[in-house]
Amino acid sequence: MGLTKAKKDQSIKLIITKPGSFTVDAKGNILSSTLPLSIPNKFIEIIIHNVLETFSTSRANGLIFEEVIIQFIGLKIVAREMRGGALIHLTPLNL
């Protein structure tokens, strides 16, 4: 998965110091965001891709995930499915 590749970059946990959230449509376009500007777009793209792929794959296999929670490098990612898109919250675990 793409998130495991990002694990090698330890600078990510220094960048995400405040919680934030964003919504994406089914194509992965960001519709709204309260994320700090210090978070790299590439990291956000990795999260979007993996979250949407998880929801899509689960639907294709007859599983309906309404929410996915991931704890990753001092970061908690909570994603809720929204008609093909998602609402994604990022929260540093040190808060």
Side-chain angles (χ1 to χ4, degrees):
M1 258 193 181
L3 288 176
T4 56
K5 292 179 185 175
K7 186 175 184 179
K8 294 177 184 175
D9 185 0
Q10 294 299 317
S11 63
I12 290 172
K13 64 182 168 183
L14 300 175
I15 294 169
I16 303 173
T17 58
K18 297 179 183 177
S21 61
F22 59 102
T23 57
V24 294
D25 64 15
K27 295 179 182 178
N29 299 313
I30 296 176
L31 303 175
S32 64
S33 175
T34 62
L35 294 175
L37 294 176
S38 61
I39 300 175
N41 287 338
K42 184 65 177 169
F43 185 64
I44 299 303
E45 290 170 8
I46 291 169
I47 292 172
I48 291 169
H49 171 75
N50 284 281
V51 165
L52 294 181
E53 183 178 9
T54 299
F55 288 136
S56 174
T57 304
S58 68
R59 270 192 310 277
N61 289 308
L63 302 170
I64 306 299
F65 290 162
E66 292 180 6
E67 182 176 80
V68 175
I69 301 172
I70 304 164
Q71 288 193 0
F72 171 74
I73 313 178
L75 177 67
K76 182 177 180 180
I77 302 170
V78 178
R80 292 185 179 215
E81 201 275 337
M82 293 176 46
R83 297 182 185 180
L87 170 61
I88 304 169
H89 299 280
L90 305 180
T91 308
L93 290 177
N94 59 358
L95 288 181

